[in-house]
Amino acid sequence: MLQKKMWTAGLLSLTILATAACGNSASSGDLAGAATGADSAQGAGEKTKITFYSYNLATASQKDGTQKLIDEFEAANPDIDVEGIPVPSPDINAKVQADIAAGSSPDIAQLTFDGLDYFANNFGVKPLEDIVPADELAETFEGFSPNGLKLGQLDGKTYGLPFTFSTPVLFYNAKLFEEAGLDPEQPPATWAEVKEYAAKIAEATDASGVHIGGSIGNDWIVQALIGSNGGKVLSDDRTTLHFNSPEAIGAVEMWQDITTSGAGSKLNDGEVMEAFSQGQVGMLLFTSALQSAFLSAAEAGGWELKAAAMPSFDNKPTTPVNSGSALFILSDDEAKQQAAWKFLKFVTSERGYTIITSEIGYLPLRPSIVEDEEYLKGWVEENPLIKPNLEQLDRLAPWVSYPGANWYQIETILLEAVQKSIQSSDDVTTIMKEAQTRAQSLMP
């Protein structure tokens, strides 16, 4: 009984971490009303108080690092008081929406990229270009990952400043590689090699060969796979979905083949995180934010964790898609807007990203700090598993947000089609065409 309780607790902890890593979104329907305006600016000599809704604050392993960002900002800005309000990631969209309707909008909200279009058009988000002088904005953006910065932009304006961020990484168990006669220093580079390696692990050990995460919760890994096979989920003019394209179908067929062949695990994402931690899965493609938790599990279990970049479809270039969040300014009050902007600048500064990477577990979107002794150079040398993740920033493709009020339902239809495909041997083309028809009918 004790062992079962410990397993359940470990599974819950890892599941919460993975959910926070990609910011599991809740459905956002039509707003019941609009904000009635924020509190007026504080009187002269008084502190400006701003509220900050954060799902990282609601995650045990990320709470302390996020609070440290707040504390250091307040110490450097004694005239600003940041009230950090923890909101679990599945609830944060609905919480923000309800508070906007009630006229009590937060001043800053941490929201995921897949809802960008909806937030920009329905949450009263303030584009940074509308509240920050152009020269100051340009100075702040200097040194920021260009691909990373694009993630919060829509129609030429920056609605969200990228904050906590990860990409899909192939974690693997070096001990299981050796037991299967594989070289741990030569991880698979293509999905064909993944299947080959996984089959050998499954045959030579009691472990499952591989698990591809991301079929539940959010579609960022699904988008990364489709993009890496040369496809896209949405047309450039944002009017037509491409769930039934040959490239999308081919990506899902690869996934189905690995699973149905016996090389891949049929566990769900929550189960596989615990199984991988216990040394029962050879390879796992999932969010890089799990690295710290897996390192601890490997040390406790007596095996070595290694990591590689996302595998490719033969010679096609990979297009890793990010998970994670941006910070959005929602306040209508000018003083609060400026205080919020100062906070955004700090938490995405060199110092801010040093804390985010080393103490919360996400990528630094200011790449130069990984070579700077003052910031992350020493930490990266001690944590080399982050390097494949850093290298993927150069090939990063934005997490596409679907337009309109039905954006989350569209995302869910795609995920359900993937789940149906990989859990059966049914015809993927038929499944994806049916998903395309259903989802396109929900487009604005």
Side-chain angles (χ1 to χ4, degrees), residues 23 25 33 78 94 110 115 117 132 135 146 178 249 278 294 311 315 328 332 349 364 400 416 431:
S25 303
Q110 177 190 8
D117 187 290
V132 181
D135 56 346
E178 291 171 349
I249 291 169
Q278 294 180 346
F294 287 155
N315 296 321
F328 296 81
D332 290 323
S349 67
V400 172
E416 288 175 345
I431 294 171

Side-chain angles (χ1 to χ4, degrees), residues 20 35 65 84 119 141 160 194 200 204 211 262-263 274 286 330 342 349 381 384:
F119 305 148
F141 287 170
V194 167
K200 290 181 178 180
H211 181 89
E274 185 67 15
F286 217 5
L330 282 74
K342 287 184 178 180
S349 67
E381 289 172 351

Side-chain angles (χ1 to χ4, degrees), residues 169 171 288 291 295 304-308 380 382-390:
V169 167
F171 294 108
S288 57
Q291 177 181 303
L295 278 170
E304 183 182 1
L305 177 72
K306 287 187 171 290
V380 170
E382 294 175 2
N383 296 270
L385 292 186
I386 196 175
K387 290 181 179 179
N389 201 11
L390 290 170

